[in-house]
Each structure stands twice: as structure tokens, then as C-alpha cells.
């Protein structure tokens, strides 16, 4: 810098600690406490008024004398401190302002240095990630790497450790996905929705969920089939027990039965293209809705 300012250290040449001897100060304090206790227990009345008045006058005189001596001692002890203290405090305040201003001006420079170091570090992170086949975005940046005193070798070691852990996590995920796919295929369901649960639930729980979902679905299909069969059976029994009156059927409750119209059945040939899971889903839909079909290869 061309405008350097010299630093001057404060020099104290004379500083004499004060020492005051007052041998009867404690006795005086104790006597005053006794007097206070006495007049708390026995308040001033007509009989002791004059005595109390005289004692109060002596007490006030003693108090004034103590106050005068205290003020005198303070002046002697303080000396020129009243002049020195505000000057020192003013220097402290001005120094603090200068320090704060310098810090404020240093921050942008420090941030720029950190940004340059951040770029250099990210180059290392990207290079390491590419070398070992890992997406660099998966490496967690450690802010302490920005400290100029932090060892670059330590940083590179930490990056390698993270990459090694990422590979282990990926391998474990592949094993878990395969486990879920085997389970889902065994139940003939799409594994993708269950694979998406990884990271939120463990594999054992997910496999249990697959089994529960299949059981619930089968139970619903069975219940729907049962209800349909009972409804059809009840309808047939009602029609069988009905009486023909003119051109109408009348059941045992006297209600007219309107025969369910026989829907015409059509036969169509469809060519469906899709994945195994998608074709299974189409087959399940048709079976659920009692649509007869014949699979092919």
C-alpha cells in the first residue's frame, strides 16, 4: 500500500494502585445496623422523642462526614483519570470503526478468492467423478475445502471416499431393485411403482406391500364376482317363481319383472403391442370385466 499508517502502542508510564486504611469502618457499619434494628423494633414515641432526635442529629453528622471523606478520597484516587478515560474510549471507538470499515472492504476480496478456489476445487471434483464414472453432482461439496489452509490431499481423499461410497450405494440399489422385480414378477404385477418406494421404505416392507396389494386386489375381484353371481341367481329365481299375466311377468310381491335385455356379443380381433407388464395389465382388465379373450405369442 502507498498510504500505510504506522501503528502506535499505548504507553503507560505511571500507575499507582490506591491503598486506604479505615480501621473503624466495619465497627461503624455494625453500629449503624444496630441503630436501624433498634428503631425498627422500638419506634419513636413521645417518651423517647428527644433522645431519638439527638441520636439522629449525631447520625446525620456522621453520614455527612463519611460522604465528604468518600468524595475527597475519590478525587485523590482518580487523579487525572477523568481526562485519560474518555480519550482512551474515543481511541477504542475510532479503532473499532476503522477495523469494521477494513473488514467491510476485505469481504468482497475474500469472497472473490473463495470463488476462484471454488472453481479450482470443482475442476478436481469433476475430473475425479469422470475418471470413476460418477455424476459429479452427487458429490457433496464441503465448505471447509474453501479454506486456503485446508490440505488439497485431504480434500482429494475425501472426494475419493465419497465416490467409493456412491459406488457401494449404487451396487446395493441394483440388488434391491432386482429383489423387488423378482417379487413383483412372481405376483405378476408391475415392479416400477414399488421400485420408486426405495429410499423411503426398506425392501422387506416393500415386498410385503406387494403381497398385501395383490391380496387386496384378489379379494375385491372375488367379492365383485360373488356379488354378481348372487345377483344373477336371485334374478333367475325371481323370474322362475313369477307368474305370467297377459304379456307380463309378475313376481310374488306383485311387481312387474322387466327381463334384462340380452346384449349382442361381438367378436373382434385386436393386435396389442406393449411391454410384458403392460400386456399383463390389459389381460387383468379384461378378466376383471369378464371379457373373454385368447392370448397369443
Amino acid at each position: 500500500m502507498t498510504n500505510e499508517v504506522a501503528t502506535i502502542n499505548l504507553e503507560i508510564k505511571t500507575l499507582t494502585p490506591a491503598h486506604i486504611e479505615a480501621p473503624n469502618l466495619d465497627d461503624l457499619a455494625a453500629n449503624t445496623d444496630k441503630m436501624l434494628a433498634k428503631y425498627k423494633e422500638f419506634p419513636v414515641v413521645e417518651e423517647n422523642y428527644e433522645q431519638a432526635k439527638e441520636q439522629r442529629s449525631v447520625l446525620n453528622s456522621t453520614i455527612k462526614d463519611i460522604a465528604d471523606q468518600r468524595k475527597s478520597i475519590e478525587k485523590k484516587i482518580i487523579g487525572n483519570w477523568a481526562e485519560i478515560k474518555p480519550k482512551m474510549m474515543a481511541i477504542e471507538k475510532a479503532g473499532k470503526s476503522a477495523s469494521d470499515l477494513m473488514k467491510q472492504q476485505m469481504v468482497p476480496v475474500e469472497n472473490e478468492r473463495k470463488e476462484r478456489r471454488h472453481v479450482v476445487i470443482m475442476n478436481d471434483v469433476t475430473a475425479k467423478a469422470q475418471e470413476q464414472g460418477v455424476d459429479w453432482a452427487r458429490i457433496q461439496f464441503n465448505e471447509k475445502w474453501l479454506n486456503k489452509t485446508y490440505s488439497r490431499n485431504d480434500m482429494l481423499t475425501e472426494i475419493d471416499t465419497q465416490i467409493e461410497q456412491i459406488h457401494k450405494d449404487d451396487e446395493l440399489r441394483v440388488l434391491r431393485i432386482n429383489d423387488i422385480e423378482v417379487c413383483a414378477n412372481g405376483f405378476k404385477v408391475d415392479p416400477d411403482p414399488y421400485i420408486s418406494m426405495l429410499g423411503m421404505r426398506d425392501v422387506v416392507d416393500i415386498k410385503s406391500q406387494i403381497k398385501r396389494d395383490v391380496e387386496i386386489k384378489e379379494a375385491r375381484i372375488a367379492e365383485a364376482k360373488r356379488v354378481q353371481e348372487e345377483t344373477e341367481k336371485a334374478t333367475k329365481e325371481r323370474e322362475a317363481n313369477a307368474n305370467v299375466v297377459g304379456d307380463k311377468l309378475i313376481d310374488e310381491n306383485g311387481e312387474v319383472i322387466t327381463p334384462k335385455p340380452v346384449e349382442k356379443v361381438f367378436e373382434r380381433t385386436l393386435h396389442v403391442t406393449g411391454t410384458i407388464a403392460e400386456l399383463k395389465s390389459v389381460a387383468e382388465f379384461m378378466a376383471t370385466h369378464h371379457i373373454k379373450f385368447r392370448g397369443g405369442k
Side-chain angles (χ1 to χ4, degrees):
M1 296 177 62
T2 58
N3 55 344
E4 293 183 356
V5 178
T7 301
I8 302 176
N9 295 324
L10 177 64
E11 180 182 356
I12 303 295
K13 289 190 173 181
T14 305
L15 178 62
T16 304
H19 178 72
I20 302 171
E21 293 184 2
N24 68 334
L25 188 61
D26 292 338
D27 294 337
L28 181 59
N31 185 64
T32 304
D33 290 340
K34 289 179 182 179
M35 185 177 296
L36 178 61
K38 172 184 175 182
Y39 284 99
K40 279 185 177 179
E41 186 175 358
F42 302 103
V44 176
V45 294
E46 181 66 31
E47 288 76 6
N48 65 353
Y49 176 82
E50 294 300 331
Q51 181 184 3
K53 183 178 180 181
E54 181 179 350
Q55 289 182 344
R56 180 173 181 270
S57 177
V58 174
L59 179 61
N60 286 342
S61 177
T62 303
I63 293 171
K64 184 178 183 305
D65 180 60
I66 292 174
D68 291 342
Q69 291 189 63
R70 174 180 57 78
K71 294 175 183 178
S72 175
I73 291 171
E74 286 179 350
K75 289 181 179 180
K76 293 178 181 179
I77 292 176
I78 292 176
N80 65 338
W81 176 242
E83 300 175 3
I84 297 296
K85 181 179 178 180
K87 291 180 180 179
M88 294 179 68
M89 293 181 66
I91 295 172
E92 293 171 17
K93 184 177 180 180
K96 181 67 166 56
S97 297
S99 176
D100 291 343
L101 179 60
M102 292 169 69
K103 178 60 177 176
Q104 182 180 357
Q105 296 171 349
M106 290 167 64
V107 167
V109 177
E110 293 172 353
N111 290 340
E112 185 177 348
R113 288 182 176 180
K114 284 186 176 181
E115 185 61 31
R116 290 199 300 267
R117 184 166 175 78
H118 187 278
V119 172
V120 173
I121 293 173
M122 287 308 301
N123 288 337
D124 289 332
V125 170
T126 304
K128 283 277 188 181
Q130 290 178 346
E131 288 173 5
Q132 303 186 46
V134 171
D135 181 5
W136 66 266
R138 297 178 65 185
I139 298 176
Q140 185 176 1
F141 190 90
N142 192 337
E143 291 297 325
K144 66 183 180 182
W145 295 344
L146 293 175
N147 297 335
K148 62 181 181 180
T149 57
Y150 200 79
S151 169
R152 181 173 182 272
N153 289 334
D154 289 345
M155 179 196 69
L156 295 176
T157 299
E158 291 177 19
I159 295 173
D160 286 334
T161 301
Q162 285 196 45
I163 292 175
E164 182 180 354
Q165 186 60 49
I166 289 172
H167 283 307
K168 290 180 180 179
D169 292 343
D170 289 346
E171 292 172 0
L172 181 58
R173 179 175 174 81
V174 170
L175 293 175
R176 289 173 174 171
I177 290 175
N178 182 68
D179 199 5
I180 293 173
E181 287 177 339
V182 170
C183 180
N185 292 333
F187 285 104
K188 298 181 179 179
V189 297
D190 182 9
D192 290 345
Y194 299 99
I195 293 175
S196 66
M197 296 180 184
L198 279 174
M200 297 178 288
R201 299 165 66 176
D202 59 42
V203 175
V204 174
D205 188 24
I206 294 173
K207 291 167 66 175
S208 298
Q209 184 66 54
I210 294 174
K211 185 174 183 295
R212 285 194 298 270
D213 290 347
V214 171
E215 291 174 346
I216 291 172
K217 182 178 181 180
E218 291 177 347
R220 286 175 178 172
I221 293 174
E223 177 62 16
K225 183 177 180 182
R226 183 191 67 79
V227 171
Q228 182 179 357
E229 289 175 349
E230 288 186 356
T231 301
E232 292 175 353
K233 181 180 178 182
T235 300
K236 290 179 180 180
E237 291 178 352
R238 183 184 177 208
E239 292 177 353
N241 296 328
N243 297 315
V244 179
V245 179
D247 60 349
K248 297 181 179 180
L249 283 176
I250 307 298
D251 66 9
E252 56 187 9
N253 296 322
E255 296 179 356
V256 177
I257 298 176
T258 303
K260 182 178 179 181
V262 179
E263 296 184 7
K264 187 177 181 180
V265 177
F266 297 90
E267 182 175 345
R268 295 287 186 268
T269 300
L270 300 176
H271 180 73
V272 182
T273 302
T275 64
I276 295 297
E278 290 170 344
L279 295 177
K280 286 181 179 179
S281 178
V282 172
E284 289 174 0
F285 172 83
M286 297 177 74
T288 302
H289 291 79
H290 307 287
I291 301 173
K292 295 180 180 180
F293 67 95
R294 179 167 52 88
K297 293 184 180 180

